[in-house]
Protein backbone atom coordinates (compact mmCIF):
# COMPACT_ATOMS: atom_id res chain seq x y z
CA UNK A 1 0.00 0.00 0.00
CA UNK A 2 2.76 2.39 0.85
CA UNK A 3 4.05 2.03 -2.70
CA UNK A 4 0.63 2.72 -4.16
CA UNK A 5 1.55 5.83 -6.04
CA UNK A 6 2.52 6.71 -9.58
CA UNK A 7 6.02 5.38 -10.23
CA UNK A 8 6.86 8.67 -11.81
CA UNK A 9 4.82 11.78 -11.91
CA UNK A 10 3.51 12.66 -15.34
CA UNK A 11 4.55 16.02 -16.72
CA UNK A 12 1.89 18.51 -15.74
CA UNK A 13 0.79 21.41 -17.86
CA UNK A 14 1.92 24.55 -15.95
CA UNK A 15 -1.50 26.15 -16.40
CA UNK A 16 -3.10 23.20 -14.63
CA UNK A 17 -0.81 23.50 -11.60
CA UNK A 18 -1.50 27.24 -11.54
CA UNK A 19 -5.27 26.67 -11.67
CA UNK A 20 -5.11 24.19 -8.80
CA UNK A 21 -2.99 26.60 -6.77
CA UNK A 22 -5.58 29.31 -7.37
CA UNK A 23 -8.35 27.01 -6.19
CA UNK A 24 -6.38 26.07 -3.09
CA UNK A 25 -5.90 29.74 -2.30
CA UNK A 26 -9.65 29.84 -1.64
CA UNK A 27 -9.09 27.83 1.55
CA UNK A 28 -8.37 29.61 4.85
CA UNK A 29 -4.67 30.23 5.40
CA UNK A 30 -4.32 27.89 8.39
CA UNK A 31 -5.97 25.03 6.50
CA UNK A 32 -3.74 25.69 3.48
CA UNK A 33 -0.71 25.57 5.72
CA UNK A 34 -1.83 22.22 7.12
CA UNK A 35 -2.93 20.53 3.88
CA UNK A 36 -2.22 22.81 0.91
CA UNK A 37 1.02 21.18 -0.26
CA UNK A 38 -0.24 17.61 0.01
CA UNK A 39 -3.56 18.52 -1.63
CA UNK A 40 -1.71 20.07 -4.56
CA UNK A 41 0.46 16.96 -4.84
CA UNK A 42 -2.66 14.79 -4.73
CA UNK A 43 -4.42 16.84 -7.41
CA UNK A 44 -1.39 16.77 -9.68
CA UNK A 45 -0.91 13.04 -9.14
CA UNK A 46 -4.50 12.49 -10.20
CA UNK A 47 -4.23 14.39 -13.48
CA UNK A 48 -4.71 12.50 -16.70
CA UNK A 49 -1.96 12.74 -19.35
CA UNK A 50 -2.45 15.88 -21.42
CA UNK A 51 -5.00 17.37 -19.04
CA UNK A 52 -4.71 21.13 -19.14
CA UNK A 53 -7.62 22.29 -16.99
CA UNK A 54 -9.00 21.08 -13.65
CA UNK A 55 -11.92 18.67 -13.90
CA UNK A 56 -15.25 20.29 -13.19
CA UNK A 57 -16.00 17.78 -10.43
CA UNK A 58 -12.67 18.59 -8.77
CA UNK A 59 -13.46 22.31 -8.97
CA UNK A 60 -16.91 21.79 -7.40
CA UNK A 61 -15.41 19.55 -4.70
CA UNK A 62 -12.71 22.09 -3.84
CA UNK A 63 -15.16 25.00 -3.81
CA UNK A 64 -17.49 23.07 -1.50
CA UNK A 65 -14.63 22.06 0.79
CA UNK A 66 -13.33 25.66 0.89
CA UNK A 67 -16.80 26.97 1.78
CA UNK A 68 -17.07 24.38 4.56
CA UNK A 69 -13.64 25.30 5.91
CA UNK A 70 -14.49 29.01 5.95
CA UNK A 71 -17.77 28.30 7.73
CA UNK A 72 -15.94 26.30 10.39
CA UNK A 73 -12.80 28.46 10.49
CA UNK A 74 -13.81 30.35 13.67
CA UNK A 75 -13.84 26.99 15.45
CA UNK A 76 -10.31 26.15 14.31
CA UNK A 77 -8.25 25.44 11.21
CA UNK A 78 -8.41 21.64 11.44
CA UNK A 79 -10.69 19.02 12.96
CA UNK A 80 -8.50 18.63 16.06
CA UNK A 81 -8.87 22.28 17.05
CA UNK A 82 -12.58 22.22 16.22
CA UNK A 83 -13.06 19.20 18.41
CA UNK A 84 -11.34 21.00 21.29
CA UNK A 85 -13.43 24.13 20.66
CA UNK A 86 -16.78 22.36 20.46
CA UNK A 87 -16.03 20.34 23.61
CA UNK A 88 -15.84 23.57 25.61
CA UNK A 89 -18.45 25.55 23.71
CA UNK A 90 -21.07 22.80 23.94
CA UNK A 91 -21.00 23.42 27.70
CA UNK A 92 -20.26 27.17 27.95
CA UNK A 93 -22.61 28.50 25.25
CA UNK A 94 -25.74 26.80 26.67
CA UNK A 95 -24.87 28.20 30.11
CA UNK A 96 -24.48 31.69 28.62
CA UNK A 97 -27.62 31.50 26.49
CA UNK A 98 -29.77 29.89 29.17
CA UNK A 99 -30.02 33.20 31.06
CA UNK A 100 -31.70 35.28 28.31
CA UNK A 101 -33.71 32.20 27.30
CA UNK A 102 -35.07 31.81 30.84
CA UNK A 103 -35.84 35.52 31.13
CA UNK A 104 -37.54 35.81 27.74
CA UNK A 105 -39.59 32.63 28.17
CA UNK A 106 -40.54 33.73 31.69
CA UNK A 107 -41.64 37.10 30.33
CA UNK A 108 -43.59 35.37 27.54
CA UNK A 109 -45.37 33.06 29.98
CA UNK A 110 -46.27 36.02 32.21
CA UNK A 111 -47.77 37.78 29.16
CA UNK A 112 -49.80 34.76 28.16
CA UNK A 113 -51.17 34.40 31.70
CA UNK A 114 -52.28 38.04 31.94
CA UNK A 115 -55.83 38.93 30.99
CA UNK A 116 -54.96 42.35 29.63
CA UNK A 117 -51.75 41.19 28.01
CA UNK A 118 -50.53 42.90 24.85
CA UNK A 119 -49.87 40.66 21.82
CA UNK A 120 -47.07 38.24 22.60
CA UNK A 121 -44.87 38.46 19.50
CA UNK A 122 -44.62 42.27 19.19
CA UNK A 123 -43.94 42.53 22.92
CA UNK A 124 -41.49 39.63 23.23
CA UNK A 125 -40.25 39.08 19.66
CA UNK A 126 -37.48 36.64 20.59
CA UNK A 127 -39.75 34.31 22.51
CA UNK A 128 -40.18 31.89 19.59
CA UNK A 129 -36.43 31.46 18.88
CA UNK A 130 -35.75 31.03 22.60
CA UNK A 131 -38.49 28.41 23.01
CA UNK A 132 -37.09 26.45 20.05
CA UNK A 133 -33.59 26.84 21.47
CA UNK A 134 -34.73 25.60 24.89
CA UNK A 135 -36.31 22.55 23.23
CA UNK A 136 -33.03 21.96 21.37
CA UNK A 137 -31.13 22.11 24.65
CA UNK A 138 -33.54 19.67 26.30
CA UNK A 139 -33.21 17.28 23.35
CA UNK A 140 -29.41 17.47 23.53
CA UNK A 141 -29.44 16.90 27.28
CA UNK A 142 -31.73 13.90 26.75
CA UNK A 143 -29.23 12.43 24.29
CA UNK A 144 -31.38 13.01 21.19
CA UNK A 145 -28.49 14.49 19.20
CA UNK A 146 -30.10 14.55 15.79
CA UNK A 147 -33.30 16.20 17.08
CA UNK A 148 -31.26 18.68 19.11
CA UNK A 149 -29.16 19.55 16.07
CA UNK A 150 -32.26 20.14 13.93
CA UNK A 151 -33.92 22.26 16.63
CA UNK A 152 -30.75 24.29 17.20
CA UNK A 153 -30.61 25.03 13.47
CA UNK A 154 -34.33 25.95 13.54
CA UNK A 155 -33.71 28.28 16.51
CA UNK A 156 -30.89 29.99 14.59
CA UNK A 157 -33.15 30.41 11.56
CA UNK A 158 -35.99 31.74 13.74
CA UNK A 159 -33.64 34.21 15.48
CA UNK A 160 -32.36 35.47 12.12
CA UNK A 161 -35.89 35.86 10.77
CA UNK A 162 -36.92 37.70 13.96
CA UNK A 163 -34.05 40.18 13.72
CA UNK A 164 -34.72 40.78 10.00
CA UNK A 165 -38.45 41.21 10.73
CA UNK A 166 -37.71 43.70 13.50
CA UNK A 167 -35.54 45.75 11.15
CA UNK A 168 -38.16 45.53 8.39
CA UNK A 169 -40.94 46.72 10.71
CA UNK A 170 -38.94 49.66 11.98
CA UNK A 171 -38.15 48.16 15.39
CA UNK A 172 -34.45 48.62 14.73
CA UNK A 173 -33.59 49.36 18.34
CA UNK A 174 -35.11 46.03 19.42
CA UNK A 175 -33.22 44.33 16.58
CA UNK A 176 -30.00 45.96 17.77
CA UNK A 177 -30.56 44.66 21.30
CA UNK A 178 -31.38 41.13 20.18
CA UNK A 179 -28.76 40.72 17.45
CA UNK A 180 -26.14 39.67 20.01
CA UNK A 181 -28.31 36.82 21.23
CA UNK A 182 -29.17 35.88 17.66
CA UNK A 183 -25.42 35.60 17.01
CA UNK A 184 -25.14 33.40 20.12
CA UNK A 185 -27.97 31.11 19.01
CA UNK A 186 -26.43 30.82 15.52
CA UNK A 187 -22.99 30.04 17.00
CA UNK A 188 -24.55 27.39 19.21
CA UNK A 189 -26.22 25.77 16.18
CA UNK A 190 -22.85 25.56 14.38
CA UNK A 191 -21.18 24.16 17.50
CA UNK A 192 -23.90 21.55 17.99
CA UNK A 193 -23.74 20.51 14.33
CA UNK A 194 -19.97 20.06 14.41
CA UNK A 195 -19.90 18.50 17.88
CA UNK A 196 -22.65 15.99 17.17
CA UNK A 197 -21.07 15.07 13.85
CA UNK A 198 -17.62 14.35 15.18
CA UNK A 199 -18.15 13.08 18.71
CA UNK A 200 -19.22 9.65 19.88
CA UNK A 201 -22.87 9.27 20.81
CA UNK A 202 -23.78 8.84 24.46
CA UNK A 203 -21.43 11.09 26.38
CA UNK A 204 -23.61 11.34 29.49
CA UNK A 205 -20.74 13.02 31.36
CA UNK A 206 -20.73 15.93 28.96
CA UNK A 207 -24.51 16.18 29.07
CA UNK A 208 -24.43 16.15 32.86
CA UNK A 209 -21.73 18.85 32.81
CA UNK A 210 -23.83 20.97 30.44
CA UNK A 211 -26.92 20.54 32.61
CA UNK A 212 -24.93 21.51 35.70
CA UNK A 213 -23.43 24.56 33.94
CA UNK A 214 -26.87 25.72 32.78
CA UNK A 215 -28.31 25.25 36.27
CA UNK A 216 -25.43 27.16 37.88
CA UNK A 217 -25.66 30.01 35.34
CA UNK A 218 -29.43 30.49 35.72
CA UNK A 219 -29.18 30.06 39.48
CA UNK A 220 -26.38 32.62 39.70
CA UNK A 221 -28.44 35.08 37.64
CA UNK A 222 -31.44 34.67 39.92
CA UNK A 223 -29.33 35.01 43.06
CA UNK A 224 -27.56 38.08 41.70
CA UNK A 225 -30.82 39.84 40.81
CA UNK A 226 -33.11 38.67 43.62
CA UNK A 227 -32.23 41.59 45.89
CA UNK A 228 -33.08 44.17 43.19
CA UNK A 229 -36.26 42.42 42.08
CA UNK A 230 -37.47 42.11 45.68
CA UNK A 231 -36.66 45.73 46.45
CA UNK A 232 -38.37 47.02 43.32
CA UNK A 233 -41.21 44.52 43.42
CA UNK A 234 -40.36 43.47 39.88
CA UNK A 235 -40.82 39.95 38.52
CA UNK A 236 -37.73 37.71 38.48
CA UNK A 237 -37.36 37.81 34.73
CA UNK A 238 -37.28 41.62 34.56
CA UNK A 239 -34.02 43.26 33.58
CA UNK A 240 -33.23 45.00 36.85
CA UNK A 241 -29.65 43.84 37.13
CA UNK A 242 -28.34 47.34 36.72
CA UNK A 243 -24.62 47.58 37.22
CA UNK A 244 -22.50 50.50 38.26
CA UNK A 245 -19.72 49.25 36.01
CA UNK A 246 -18.93 51.31 32.93
CA UNK A 247 -18.67 49.68 29.52
CA UNK A 248 -14.91 50.13 29.66
CA UNK A 249 -14.71 48.28 32.98
CA UNK A 250 -16.83 45.42 31.61
CA UNK A 251 -14.62 45.21 28.50
CA UNK A 252 -11.46 45.12 30.62
CA UNK A 253 -12.83 42.30 32.78
CA UNK A 254 -13.90 40.34 29.69
CA UNK A 255 -10.49 40.92 28.08
CA UNK A 256 -8.75 39.56 31.17
CA UNK A 257 -11.01 36.49 31.19
CA UNK A 258 -10.44 36.03 27.44
CA UNK A 259 -6.66 36.26 27.85
CA UNK A 260 -6.77 33.69 30.65
CA UNK A 261 -8.89 31.45 28.41
CA UNK A 262 -6.33 31.75 25.61
CA UNK A 263 -3.42 30.90 27.90
CA UNK A 264 -5.08 27.69 29.10
CA UNK A 265 -4.59 25.08 26.37
CA UNK A 266 -7.85 23.29 27.16
CA UNK A 267 -10.05 26.36 26.60
CA UNK A 268 -7.96 28.23 24.00
CA UNK A 269 -9.83 27.05 20.90
CA UNK A 270 -13.19 28.15 22.31
CA UNK A 271 -12.15 31.76 22.91
CA UNK A 272 -12.66 33.17 19.35
CA UNK A 273 -16.32 32.12 19.16
CA UNK A 274 -16.99 33.33 22.70
CA UNK A 275 -15.26 36.62 21.84
CA UNK A 276 -17.57 37.08 18.84
CA UNK A 277 -20.73 36.28 20.79
CA UNK A 278 -19.85 38.31 23.87
CA UNK A 279 -18.69 41.27 21.75
CA UNK A 280 -22.09 41.33 20.03
CA UNK A 281 -24.03 41.02 23.30
CA UNK A 282 -21.99 43.65 25.17
CA UNK A 283 -22.03 46.06 22.25
CA UNK A 284 -25.79 45.68 21.93
CA UNK A 285 -26.13 46.85 25.51
CA UNK A 286 -23.60 49.65 25.48
CA UNK A 287 -23.91 53.18 24.17
CA UNK A 288 -20.74 52.84 22.19
CA UNK A 289 -22.38 52.17 18.85
CA UNK A 290 -25.55 54.15 19.26
CA UNK A 291 -25.99 57.07 16.93
CA UNK A 292 -27.01 59.24 19.83
CA UNK A 293 -27.01 58.64 23.57
CA UNK A 294 -30.14 56.85 24.81
CA UNK A 295 -32.66 57.70 22.13
CA UNK A 296 -33.78 54.36 20.64
CA UNK A 297 -35.16 56.05 17.55
CA UNK A 298 -31.66 57.01 16.44
CA UNK A 299 -30.55 53.39 16.10
CA UNK A 300 -30.59 52.37 12.46
CA UNK A 301 -29.68 49.44 10.24
CA UNK A 302 -26.07 50.65 10.13
CA UNK A 303 -25.80 50.03 13.86
CA UNK A 304 -27.06 46.46 13.47
CA UNK A 305 -24.68 45.73 10.59
CA UNK A 306 -21.84 47.42 12.47
CA UNK A 307 -22.54 45.24 15.47
CA UNK A 308 -22.42 42.12 13.29
CA UNK A 309 -19.18 43.30 11.69
CA UNK A 310 -17.68 44.00 15.10
CA UNK A 311 -18.69 40.55 16.30
CA UNK A 312 -17.12 38.90 13.24
CA UNK A 313 -14.03 41.04 13.71
CA UNK A 314 -13.69 39.99 17.36
CA UNK A 315 -14.03 36.30 16.42
CA UNK A 316 -11.51 36.64 13.56
CA UNK A 317 -9.03 38.54 15.74
CA UNK A 318 -9.40 35.92 18.45
CA UNK A 319 -8.85 33.14 15.94
CA UNK A 320 -5.77 34.87 14.52
CA UNK A 321 -4.24 35.18 17.98
CA UNK A 322 -5.06 31.56 18.88
CA UNK A 323 -3.63 30.28 15.59
CA UNK A 324 -0.38 32.18 16.15
CA UNK A 325 -0.12 30.82 19.69
CA UNK A 326 -0.74 27.30 18.38
CA UNK A 327 2.09 27.82 15.89
CA UNK A 328 4.43 28.94 18.67
CA UNK A 329 3.47 25.96 20.82
CA UNK A 330 4.03 23.63 17.88
CA UNK A 331 7.46 25.11 17.08
CA UNK A 332 8.43 24.91 20.74
CA UNK A 333 7.34 21.27 20.99
CA UNK A 334 9.27 20.40 17.83
CA UNK A 335 12.37 22.18 19.11
CA UNK A 336 12.16 20.38 22.43
CA UNK A 337 11.76 17.06 20.62
CA UNK A 338 14.82 17.79 18.43
CA UNK A 339 16.89 18.76 21.47
CA UNK A 340 15.86 15.60 23.32
CA UNK A 341 16.76 13.50 20.29
CA UNK A 342 20.11 15.25 19.94
CA UNK A 343 20.90 14.72 23.62
CA UNK A 344 19.70 11.11 23.45
CA UNK A 345 21.88 10.30 20.44
CA UNK A 346 24.92 11.80 22.14
CA UNK A 347 25.60 14.42 19.50
CA UNK A 348 25.18 17.11 22.10
CA UNK A 349 23.97 20.63 21.67
CA UNK A 350 26.35 23.52 21.98
CA UNK B 1 -13.79 -6.45 25.48
CA UNK B 2 -17.53 -6.06 25.27
CA UNK B 3 -17.73 -5.38 28.98
CA UNK B 4 -14.89 -2.91 28.71
CA UNK B 5 -16.61 -1.00 25.96
CA UNK B 6 -19.90 -0.88 27.79
CA UNK B 7 -18.63 1.87 30.08
CA UNK B 8 -17.65 4.07 27.12
CA UNK B 9 -20.03 6.11 24.96
CA UNK B 10 -21.31 3.97 22.10
CA UNK B 11 -19.30 4.77 18.98
CA UNK B 12 -21.35 6.37 16.24
CA UNK B 13 -21.47 4.17 13.11
CA UNK B 14 -18.78 5.29 10.69
CA UNK B 15 -19.87 7.05 7.55
CA UNK B 16 -18.96 5.19 4.38
CA UNK B 17 -16.04 7.46 3.34
CA UNK B 18 -14.49 7.16 6.80
CA UNK B 19 -14.97 3.39 6.77
CA UNK B 20 -13.35 3.11 3.34
CA UNK B 21 -10.42 5.34 4.36
CA UNK B 22 -9.78 3.22 7.45
CA UNK B 23 -10.11 0.09 5.34
CA UNK B 24 -7.55 1.46 2.87
CA UNK B 25 -5.13 2.21 5.70
CA UNK B 26 -5.57 -1.29 7.16
CA UNK B 27 -3.18 -2.47 4.43
CA UNK B 28 -0.47 -0.13 5.64
CA UNK B 29 0.49 3.55 5.54
CA UNK B 30 -0.70 5.43 2.50
CA UNK B 31 -0.76 8.99 1.23
CA UNK B 32 -3.90 10.85 0.20
CA UNK B 33 -3.80 9.96 -3.47
CA UNK B 34 -3.11 6.30 -2.64
CA UNK B 35 -6.08 6.27 -0.27
CA UNK B 36 -8.42 7.79 -2.85
CA UNK B 37 -7.29 5.25 -5.47
CA UNK B 38 -7.84 2.39 -3.05
CA UNK B 39 -11.26 3.67 -2.03
CA UNK B 40 -12.31 3.93 -5.66
CA UNK B 41 -11.07 0.43 -6.44
CA UNK B 42 -12.46 -1.25 -3.32
CA UNK B 43 -15.87 0.31 -3.85
CA UNK B 44 -15.92 -0.75 -7.48
CA UNK B 45 -15.81 2.86 -8.65
CA UNK B 46 -18.99 3.67 -6.70
CA UNK B 47 -17.26 6.00 -4.22
CA UNK B 48 -14.78 8.61 -5.37
CA UNK B 49 -13.11 10.70 -2.69
CA UNK B 50 -11.81 13.85 -4.29
CA UNK B 51 -9.15 15.94 -2.61
CA UNK B 52 -11.46 18.42 -0.87
CA UNK B 53 -13.64 15.70 0.64
CA UNK B 54 -10.79 13.30 1.37
CA UNK B 55 -8.66 15.66 3.47
CA UNK B 56 -11.72 16.75 5.44
CA UNK B 57 -12.43 13.10 6.24
CA UNK B 58 -8.78 12.41 7.12
CA UNK B 59 -8.75 15.49 9.35
CA UNK B 60 -11.74 14.22 11.30
CA UNK B 61 -10.23 10.75 11.62
CA UNK B 62 -6.96 12.25 12.89
CA UNK B 63 -8.88 14.39 15.39
CA UNK B 64 -10.77 11.30 16.56
CA UNK B 65 -7.46 9.50 17.14
CA UNK B 66 -8.23 6.79 14.56
CA UNK B 67 -5.52 7.83 12.09
CA UNK B 68 -2.13 9.50 12.49
CA UNK B 69 0.64 10.82 10.28
CA UNK B 70 3.24 8.16 9.57
CA UNK B 71 5.85 10.10 7.61
CA UNK B 72 6.28 12.60 4.82
CA UNK B 73 8.29 12.51 1.64
CA UNK B 74 8.77 14.76 -1.35
CA UNK B 75 8.58 13.09 -4.76
CA UNK B 76 9.00 15.18 -7.90
CA UNK B 77 8.58 18.33 -5.81
CA UNK B 78 5.25 17.04 -4.52
CA UNK B 79 4.64 16.52 -0.84
CA UNK B 80 3.28 13.12 0.10
CA UNK B 81 2.13 12.75 3.68
CA UNK B 82 1.57 9.16 4.68
CA UNK B 83 -1.11 8.23 7.19
CA UNK B 84 -1.50 5.06 9.22
CA UNK B 85 -4.14 3.49 11.42
CA UNK B 86 -3.73 3.93 15.15
CA UNK B 87 -4.46 1.03 17.50
CA UNK B 88 -7.81 2.67 18.28
CA UNK B 89 -8.48 3.05 14.55
CA UNK B 90 -7.80 -0.65 14.02
CA UNK B 91 -10.17 -1.59 16.83
CA UNK B 92 -12.85 0.75 15.54
CA UNK B 93 -12.55 -0.62 11.99
CA UNK B 94 -12.76 -4.16 13.36
CA UNK B 95 -15.91 -3.35 15.36
CA UNK B 96 -17.49 -1.56 12.42
CA UNK B 97 -16.63 -4.31 9.93
CA UNK B 98 -18.12 -6.95 12.23
CA UNK B 99 -21.23 -4.86 12.70
CA UNK B 100 -21.71 -4.49 8.94
CA UNK B 101 -20.94 -8.17 8.42
CA UNK B 102 -23.50 -9.23 11.05
CA UNK B 103 -26.16 -7.00 9.50
CA UNK B 104 -25.45 -8.32 6.01
CA UNK B 105 -25.46 -11.92 7.23
CA UNK B 106 -28.77 -11.42 8.99
CA UNK B 107 -30.30 -9.85 5.89
CA UNK B 108 -29.12 -12.74 3.72
CA UNK B 109 -30.45 -15.31 6.20
CA UNK B 110 -33.84 -13.62 6.23
CA UNK B 111 -33.92 -13.50 2.46
CA UNK B 112 -33.03 -17.19 2.29
CA UNK B 113 -35.75 -18.04 4.82
CA UNK B 114 -38.23 -15.95 2.87
CA UNK B 115 -37.33 -17.70 -0.37
CA UNK B 116 -37.73 -21.19 1.16
CA UNK B 117 -41.08 -20.38 2.80
CA UNK B 118 -43.83 -22.71 1.44
CA UNK B 119 -46.45 -21.25 -0.85
CA UNK B 120 -44.11 -18.89 -2.65
CA UNK B 121 -43.92 -19.16 -6.40
CA UNK B 122 -40.53 -17.54 -6.56
CA UNK B 123 -38.22 -15.99 -4.08
CA UNK B 124 -34.80 -14.62 -3.52
CA UNK B 125 -33.31 -11.37 -4.51
CA UNK B 126 -35.61 -10.90 -7.50
CA UNK B 127 -38.46 -10.10 -5.11
CA UNK B 128 -36.54 -7.53 -3.17
CA UNK B 129 -37.45 -4.04 -4.27
CA UNK B 130 -34.47 -2.03 -5.43
Amino acid sequence: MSTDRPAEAAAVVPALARDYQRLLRLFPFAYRRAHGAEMLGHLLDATAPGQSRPERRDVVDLLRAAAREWALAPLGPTASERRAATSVLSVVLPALLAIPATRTIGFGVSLVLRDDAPPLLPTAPMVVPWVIWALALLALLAGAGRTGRALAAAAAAAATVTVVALVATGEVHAAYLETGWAVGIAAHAVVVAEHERTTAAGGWQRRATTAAAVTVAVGAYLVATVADTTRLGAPWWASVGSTTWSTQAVVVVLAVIGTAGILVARTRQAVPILAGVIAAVVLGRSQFFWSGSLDPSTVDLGNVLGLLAFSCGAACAGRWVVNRIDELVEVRARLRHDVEQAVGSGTGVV
Amino acid sequence: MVLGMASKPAPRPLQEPAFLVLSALAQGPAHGYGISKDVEESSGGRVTLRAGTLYGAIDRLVAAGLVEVDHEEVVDSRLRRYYRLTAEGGTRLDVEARRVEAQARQALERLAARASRPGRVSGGLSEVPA
Side-chain angles (χ1 to χ4, degrees), chain A residues 5 34-35 38 45 61 199 201, chain B residues 12 52-53 78 80-81 83:
Chain A
R5 63 173 198 265
H35 290 302
E38 65 176 326
D45 280 345
D61 178 64
T199 311
Chain B
R12 209 179 286 279
T53 309
R78 296 174 194 171
R80 294 206 171 107
R81 185 173 291 150
Y83 297 91

Side-chain angles (χ1 to χ4, degrees), chain A residues 47-69:
Chain A
T47 53
Q51 184 181 339
S52 61
R53 284 281 178 266
E55 269 188 45
R56 201 166 63 87
R57 282 177 297 184
D58 275 333
V59 173
V60 171
D61 178 64
L62 289 171
L63 290 176
R64 197 169 47 197
R68 185 192 61 218
E69 292 305 324

Side-chain angles (χ1 to χ4, degrees), chain A residues 48-147:
Chain A
Q51 184 181 339
S52 61
R53 284 281 178 266
E55 269 188 45
R56 201 166 63 87
R57 282 177 297 184
D58 275 333
V59 173
V60 171
D61 178 64
L62 289 171
L63 290 176
R64 197 169 47 197
R68 185 192 61 218
E69 292 305 324
W70 274 111
L72 296 173
L75 287 170
T78 66
S80 302
E81 285 88 5
R82 287 171 202 156
R83 202 181 173 88
T86 58
S87 295
V88 175
L89 290 170
S90 61
V91 174
V92 175
L93 272 182
L96 179 69
L97 298 176
I99 297 169
T102 308
R103 282 186 50 207
T104 309
I105 294 171
F107 178 46
V109 170
S110 74
L111 282 178
V112 170
L113 295 178
R114 269 170 53 185
D115 291 334
D116 59 338
L120 177 65
L121 285 182
T123 315
M126 282 292 279
V127 74
V128 172
W130 281 126
V131 166
I132 300 173
W133 181 84
L135 291 174
L137 181 62
L138 289 175
L140 291 169
L141 292 178
R146 192 174 294 181
T147 307

Side-chain angles (χ1 to χ4, degrees), chain B residues 91-106:
Chain B
T91 308
R92 184 74 190 278
L93 179 63
D94 183 67
V95 169
E96 191 69 12
R98 287 181 196 283
R99 187 183 67 78
V100 173
E101 185 188 27
Q103 283 182 337
R105 194 186 307 121
Q106 188 183 51

